[in-house]
Amino acid sequence: MANYGVIFNGSSVDKHVIAGGNVPFLSSDRMLGGIYLGNRGMRTTPQSQLAHAQRIMEEETDSEYESQRYPTLEATKPGEKPRVVVLGSGWAACRFLKGIDTRIYDAVCISPRNHMVFTPLLASTCVGTLEFRSVAEPVSQIQKALAKDPNSYFFLASCTAVDTDNHEVYCRTVDDGDSSHEPYQFKVSYDKLVIATGAEPSTFSIKGVKEHAFFLREVTHAQEIRKKLLLNLMLSQYPGISEEEKERLLHCVVIGGGPTGVEFSGELSDFIMRDVRHQYTHVKNYIRVTLIEANEILSSFDVGLRQYATKHLTKCGVRLVRGVVKEVYPNKIILSDGSEVPYGLLVWSTGVGPSEFVRSLNFPKSPGGRIGVDEWLRVPSVEDVFALGDCAGFLEHVGRPVLPALAQVAERQGKFLVELFKGIGKNNGGKAYSAKDVPLGDPFVYKHLGSMASVGRYKALVDLRESKDGKGLTLAGFISWFIWRSAYLTRVISWRNRFYVAVNWATTLVFGRDNSRIE
């Protein structure tokens, strides 16, 4: 499969990329990745014309040939609503989709997943405190126009390239692991493009991390962690298992002392204290959790809260180790001081960095490699392209720091862009190349509302300072835990999921966590 992770400029498309793409032809009424595209605006090459297209390939320009190869959702026509294409289904993308005025715009969302993940509660699903569906909200429920409006779509696909000159994005549908079927490739024309593809876990190029560690950013990650944890608990009870192997299998190692790493360690310790000791009595004294951090845990929190978290986690049986991982093997990790740490489960949570797709884009980059944007979240080097969330950062000449990769940053940017697009649409700037003279209003300003983190066993931290060195209210303990749960329950997107979460919490409190391992 050819790599399309580039930006095409005008008609200068490499012939070897086009010829090597092995793009399947589709008729306009075919199913595309399980999604019906319909006939409106879809351009493709019928099967009966394949031979003719092959004969004239040498006579046509690369751009003309390429346009025949890709089924295309064509550009909007005069009199039609402008089309906004959104790449991604994370916090920023879904907050924007939720608020966009579909009376002004048609919306198209392109993402390799069809749901948004409520990431602050994802760690709870790994140990059975919450069910997986409680933290996932379908995109079509967030913006119902994607399912109901005739000119709005959701495509389960990944964007592989952006043609800014022709206002098109190149996409490849998500495969299901079946190697016998080639993924379809297609194009979508846009009037406005919003890039909110998020980021990917940072591995710092450490050998073995991607092969042997679990990440915790998607529902599928949490499912794999849960299966691995329960499998190790059951394997450790087999007759003939040595003491050394039993200790390795039941050693859970978490790399990274940020909020995600600390919350997962707290959930694990709570699971061990309340459930493992009753449900796995033969191995209850072997399971343990180690949290490895290069510096201090929760470095962005108040020093008093960090000390509280350290004491509480240690009291709950979490071993805190200060160290740097040098290499990862299937059954052990090597630290920079040469020490070895055997493990049965390894969870990697050391922050995020730009994805391969973002790195491939020929856009100006902010410090750290994100897509560079101005004060209105526009990519200044091209027309009608915006970026927000974890994949975007202010350019250096803007004079603002790159904002942290937090859900509240992404959500606030999505809300800001909704209002910006309303103004653009009402001033007839929604169509391509028509917003140059539209007043944009006040630029985006981010005000931090504080941070929260659970540390397990009905304890949490609440830090309401506006900045790391600023002043503000800080709390720790049971009251903070109650505030943490109340705040997240109100932030869950739909009433349906709020009901799921509340029922799951109540069920866990009364009956404990379910330990079924379902493939």
Side-chain angles (χ1 to χ4, degrees):
M1 182 63 62
N3 181 14
Y4 295 88
V6 296
I7 293 183
F8 297 126
N9 294 312
S11 61
S12 58
V13 183
D14 256 353
K15 179 175 289 188
H16 78 273
V17 173
I18 299 302
N22 192 25
V23 183
F25 291 87
L26 299 175
S27 61
S28 58
D29 59 351
R30 286 283 301 276
M31 292 291 289
L32 182 57
I35 307 166
Y36 181 69
L37 293 176
N39 293 318
R40 178 190 176 274
M42 296 302 297
R43 181 180 65 225
T44 186
T45 303
Q47 293 285 351
S48 60
Q49 296 179 12
L50 286 179
H52 177 65
Q54 183 68 28
R55 288 197 305 271
I56 64 174
M57 182 177 64
E58 299 296 332
E59 302 173 9
E60 293 188 331
T61 65
D62 291 337
S63 179
E64 290 169 338
Y65 177 61
E66 176 271 334
S67 68
Q68 289 188 341
R69 296 281 285 187
Y70 286 86
T72 304
L73 186 60
E74 293 185 330
T76 55
K77 298 177 176 61
E80 294 181 336
K81 289 186 290 186
R83 180 187 300 136
V84 178
V85 173
V86 181
L87 306 181
S89 57
W91 281 85
C94 288
R95 181 60 186 83
F96 174 76
L97 284 168
K98 181 180 180 180
I100 190 172
D101 191 341
T102 53
R103 295 170 299 179
I104 301 175
Y105 297 97
D106 287 326
V108 174
C109 180
I110 301 169
S111 175
R113 69 183 189 196
N114 72 340
H115 58 273
M116 174 190 166
V117 180
F118 193 82
T119 48
L121 296 178
L122 193 57
S124 298
T125 65
C126 298
V127 295
T129 305
L130 296 176
E131 293 184 14
F132 296 109
R133 65 175 178 173
S134 301
V135 300
E137 183 70 23
V139 177
S140 59
Q141 291 296 319
I142 296 172
Q143 178 48 263
K144 296 185 184 297
L146 296 174
K148 295 182 178 180
D149 285 8
N151 298 331
S152 293
Y153 304 94
F154 173 81
F155 295 142
L156 190 69
S158 297
C159 180
T160 55
V162 180
D163 183 348
T164 56
D165 288 347
N166 293 318
H167 274 48
E168 294 176 329
V169 292
Y170 288 68
C171 306
R172 181 167 54 235
T173 58
V174 175
D175 60 53
D176 58 358
D178 186 357
S179 59
S180 63
H181 294 90
E182 288 286 342
Y184 294 118
Q185 300 187 60
F186 61 100
K187 294 190 303 181
V188 176
S189 297
Y190 64 84
D191 290 297
K192 297 289 186 286
L193 176 64
V194 177
I195 303 176
T197 52
E200 63 182 23
S202 296
T203 63
F204 307 103
S205 301
I206 297 173
K207 184 179 179 182
V209 174
K210 290 185 177 180
E211 293 81 3
H212 307 301
F214 292 94
F215 302 107
L216 188 53
R217 290 182 60 79
E218 304 285 350
V219 171
T220 53
H221 296 162
Q223 290 172 327
E224 292 300 322
I225 290 172
R226 176 172 172 78
K227 287 195 292 186
K228 180 68 173 178
L229 175 63
L230 294 177
L231 177 63
N232 287 351
L233 279 166
M234 290 179 279
L235 287 176
S236 63
Q237 299 184 90
Y238 288 174
I241 298 292
S242 66
E243 295 291 306
E244 182 181 5
E245 179 65 5
K246 191 177 295 186
E247 289 182 352
R248 182 195 69 79
L249 282 170
L250 297 179
H251 188 199
C252 305
V253 177
V254 182
I255 308 296
T260 301
V262 168
E263 289 190 341
F264 180 70
S265 299
E267 286 283 354
L268 266 180
S269 68
D270 194 44
F271 174 60
I272 292 168
M273 293 286 186
R274 294 190 56 205
D275 298 273
V276 170
R277 290 186 173 181
H278 300 291
Q279 299 174 6
Y280 299 92
T281 54
H282 297 94
V283 296
K284 64 181 181 180
N285 296 324
Y286 292 89
I287 188 167
R288 57 198 174 103
V289 182
T290 297
L291 176 60
I292 300 177
E293 167 58 42
N295 300 300
E296 290 188 76
I297 65 170
L298 300 173
S299 58
S300 63
F301 281 67
D302 175 74
V303 61
L305 297 181
R306 295 201 299 267
Q307 292 173 351
Y308 179 90
T310 299
K311 292 179 181 178
H312 178 76
L313 289 172
T314 302
K315 181 181 177 180
C316 293
V318 178
R319 178 181 171 226
L320 302 178
V321 175
R322 181 169 293 188
V324 177
V325 178
K326 181 180 179 182
E327 193 168 356
V328 177
Y329 292 93
N331 297 323
K332 65 180 180 180
I333 60 174
I334 308 297
L335 301 182
S336 57
D337 60 2
S339 59
E340 297 184 0
V341 181
Y343 69 86
L345 173 67
L346 178 63
V347 177
W348 194 269
S349 177
T350 58
V352 296
S355 65
E356 183 179 349
F357 170 70
V358 168
R359 292 194 299 268
S360 73
L361 296 175
N362 189 25
F363 291 157
K365 297 298 195 297
S366 69
R370 301 185 189 184
I371 299 172
V373 296
D374 64 11
E375 300 97 318
W376 291 273
L377 307 181
R378 299 176 301 178
V379 180
S381 61
V382 292
E383 288 287 334
D384 301 319
V385 179
F386 300 78
L388 65 164
D390 295 352
C391 71
F394 291 122
L395 291 164
E396 285 188 276
H397 70 77
V398 174
R400 299 186 185 185
V402 176
L403 297 174
L406 298 175
Q408 64 173 294
V409 173
E411 187 177 31
R412 209 80 54 77
Q413 289 179 334
K415 185 177 180 180
F416 169 83
L417 203 60
V418 165
E419 297 303 317
L420 184 67
F421 271 53
K422 282 183 181 178
I424 292 174
K426 290 178 180 178
N427 285 279
N428 299 317
K431 290 287 188 177
Y433 301 108
S434 62
K436 293 181 180 180
D437 300 323
V438 174
L440 300 179
D442 296 331
F444 174 74
V445 177
Y446 173 68
K447 183 179 179 181
H448 189 61
L449 298 180
S451 304
M452 295 184 291
S454 169
V455 291
R457 300 197 71 186
Y458 309 110
K459 301 294 189 295
L461 315 175
V462 175
D463 188 343
L464 299 181
R465 299 175 303 158
E466 291 186 12
S467 64
K468 185 176 180 180
D469 300 320
K471 294 182 179 180
L473 180 65
T474 59
L475 297 170
F478 176 79
I479 294 178
S480 298
W481 174 84
F482 184 78
I483 294 173
W484 173 82
R485 280 208 164 179
S486 301
Y488 282 155
L489 186 61
T490 60
R491 299 307 299 159
V492 173
I493 291 179
S494 69
W495 282 103
R496 182 196 68 168
N497 278 31
R498 290 173 195 168
F499 177 77
Y500 284 159
V501 169
V503 169
N504 288 169
W505 279 340
T507 303
T508 299
L509 180 65
V510 176
F511 300 106
R513 297 172 178 85
D514 177 67
N515 66 344
S516 302
R517 185 179 184 273
I518 302 173
E519 290 291 344

